[in-house]
């Protein structure tokens, strides 16, 4: 299967890295290749976040800015998120076993939920400190280093967001697309902190704490958004109408099939379990009906990569 590329500079950058670090990188249905994509995004994110965390924390403590310190721990949560991405893909690539006949692909969504919980805990802690700072304002010293780090954060976060979006779309990985949203919200949060520090320079000391609370809002929204998508996937979200109609058309294209209904698709990441009922002439023998069902299963499995198909036969 050919991967999706849009010709952008980010896509070309990703392709450059993939060609050098991911063997057979275009085989995006392979569990090991999918895992390698996740590792690549996770490593890029971890390296960037370690640099940002250390820089923001040191500067935040030095200038006494609760908003900058909040941003530092926001970056720390992103380090954890990047590590969770790596662990999630490592577990998800494990082959099926007797206890998990459809593989471990859903672990990606479990890892996403863990990331959301961490974000909520972090947001609550920062909110508490910010409210205390609102009640009892303390002096904040703004310098060129703080401004530079925040501007660098905006640029770097937008770059990482685009990298994650491109990689996530190539392999249709929910966890990477979710991480790209997290990166983009981080960029907006850094802008708010920057505005807060400018407000401090102009004499509005409480703007620093207000900026920190705004960052908390971004953190909690990110947690809610990625948790909602991951939960829907784990709870067995219904397939789209396009998928159902495709399966119905494939089934009806087989000679002898007069109808198809009760179509269900259970998504396990790179693997899918498809069940459906097909209608055949009631005068056919059991063997003839079975042969038709086998052909339906074969054609659907050929079209939908990673699908295990079970077609039940009924009289028309």
């Amino acid at each position: 299967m050919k991967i999706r590329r849009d010709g952008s500079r980010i896509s070309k950058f990703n392709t450059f890295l993939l060609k050098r670090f991911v063997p057979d990188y275009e085989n995006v249905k392979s569990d090991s290749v999918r895992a390698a994509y996740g590792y690549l995004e996770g490593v890029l994110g971890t390296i960037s976040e370690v640099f940002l965390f250390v820089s923001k924390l040191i500067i935040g403590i030095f200038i006494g800015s609760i908003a900058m310190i909040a941003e530092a721990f926001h970056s720390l949560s992103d380090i954890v998120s990047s590590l969770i991405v790596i662990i999630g893909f490592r577990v998800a690539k494990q082959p099926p076993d007797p206890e998990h006949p459809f593989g471990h692909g859903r672990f990606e969504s479990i890892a996403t939920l863990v990331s959301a919980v961490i974000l909520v805990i972090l947001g609550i802690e920062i909110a508490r400190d910010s409210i205390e700072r609102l009640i009892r304002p303390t002096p904040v010293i703004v310098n060129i280093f703080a401004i530079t780090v925040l501007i660098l954060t905006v640029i770097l976060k937008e770059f990482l967001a685009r990298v994650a979006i491109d990689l996530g779309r190539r392999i249709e990985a929910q966890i990477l697309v979710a991480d790209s949203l997290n990166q983009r919200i981080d960029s907006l949060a850094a802008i708010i902190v920057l505005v807060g520090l400018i407000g401090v320079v102009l004499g509005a000391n409480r703007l620093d704490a207000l900026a920190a609370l705004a960052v908390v809002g971004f953190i909690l929204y990110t947690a809610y958004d990625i948790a909602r998508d991951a939960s829907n996937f784990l709870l067995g979200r219904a397939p789209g109408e396009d998928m159902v109609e495709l399966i119905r058309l494939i089934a009806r294209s087989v000679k002898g099939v007069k109808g198809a209904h009760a179509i269900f698709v259970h998504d396990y990441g790179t693997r899918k379990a498809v069940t459906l009922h097909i209608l055949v002439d009631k005068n056919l023998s059991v063997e003839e009906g079975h042969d038709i069902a086998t052909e339906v299963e074969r054609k659907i499995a050929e079209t939908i990569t990673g699908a295990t198909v079970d077609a039940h036969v009924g009289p028309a």
Side-chain angles (χ1 to χ4, degrees), residues 106 108-113 116 173-182 221-238 267:
R106 286 188 173 179
E108 292 178 18
S109 293
I110 295 175
T112 302
L113 283 178
Q174 177 193 44
I175 191 171
L176 292 188
V177 176
D179 196 48
S180 72
L181 175 62
N182 185 23
Y221 174 79
T222 302
Y224 162 76
D225 194 64
I226 64 177
R228 179 190 59 191
D229 288 344
S231 297
N232 285 336
F233 181 77
L234 289 171
L235 291 172
R237 178 172 46 201
D267 198 338

Side-chain angles (χ1 to χ4, degrees), residues 3-4 25 27-30 33-35 37-38 89 108 166-176 270:
I3 59 176
R4 298 168 58 181
Y25 75 97
N27 184 18
V28 295
K29 291 301 180 181
S30 164
V33 171
R34 285 175 59 85
Y37 274 64
F89 274 99
E108 292 178 18
D166 180 68
L167 291 175
R169 286 176 176 171
R170 291 182 187 222
I171 62 174
E172 298 179 357
Q174 177 193 44
I175 191 171
L176 292 188
T270 57

Side-chain angles (χ1 to χ4, degrees), residues 111-312:
T112 302
L113 283 178
V114 172
S115 179
V117 171
I118 292 172
L119 286 175
V120 170
I121 295 172
L122 177 67
I124 292 172
E125 288 298 313
I126 295 174
R128 184 187 62 185
D129 293 341
S130 301
I131 291 171
E132 290 180 0
R133 185 67 68 92
L134 270 177
I135 297 172
R136 290 183 290 275
T138 56
V140 178
I141 304 171
V142 181
N143 58 31
I144 189 63
F145 297 108
I147 303 298
T148 301
V149 167
L150 288 171
I151 293 175
L152 180 61
T153 298
V154 173
I155 296 172
L156 187 56
K157 286 292 188 175
E158 179 60 24
F159 170 76
L160 291 174
R162 296 188 182 191
V163 167
I165 288 173
D166 180 68
L167 291 175
R169 286 176 176 171
R170 291 182 187 222
I171 62 174
E172 298 179 357
Q174 177 193 44
I175 191 171
L176 292 188
V177 176
D179 196 48
S180 72
L181 175 62
N182 185 23
Q183 300 287 2
R184 190 152 278 164
I185 289 178
D186 289 348
S187 180
L188 293 174
I191 293 174
I192 288 177
V193 174
L194 182 60
V195 171
L197 291 184
I198 292 174
V200 169
V201 172
L202 298 176
N205 287 333
R206 283 189 170 86
L207 269 182
D208 180 62
L210 290 173
L213 286 174
V215 173
V216 169
F218 282 118
I219 292 173
L220 295 180
Y221 174 79
T222 302
Y224 162 76
D225 194 64
I226 64 177
R228 179 190 59 191
D229 288 344
S231 297
N232 285 336
F233 181 77
L234 289 171
L235 291 172
R237 178 172 46 201
E241 282 299 319
D242 290 345
M243 173 70 75
V244 172
E245 187 59 28
L246 173 63
I247 294 171
R248 181 179 289 110
L249 289 174
I250 294 171
R252 291 182 65 90
S253 71
V254 175
K255 184 178 180 180
V257 175
K258 297 183 178 296
H261 64 281
I263 299 171
F264 296 98
V265 180
H266 303 278
D267 198 338
Y268 295 89
T270 57
R271 294 176 175 82
K272 294 175 175 60
V274 179
T275 61
L276 72 157
H277 289 184
I278 59 172
L279 302 177
V280 301
D281 191 323
K282 64 181 180 180
N283 295 316
L284 293 179
S285 67
V286 172
E287 183 178 358
E288 289 172 324
H290 177 268
D291 289 343
I292 292 173
T294 300
E295 179 63 12
V296 168
E297 292 169 352
R298 185 188 67 80
K299 293 192 71 172
I300 293 174
E302 283 182 351
T303 304
I304 303 175
T305 305
T308 299
V309 188
D310 187 11
H312 301 270

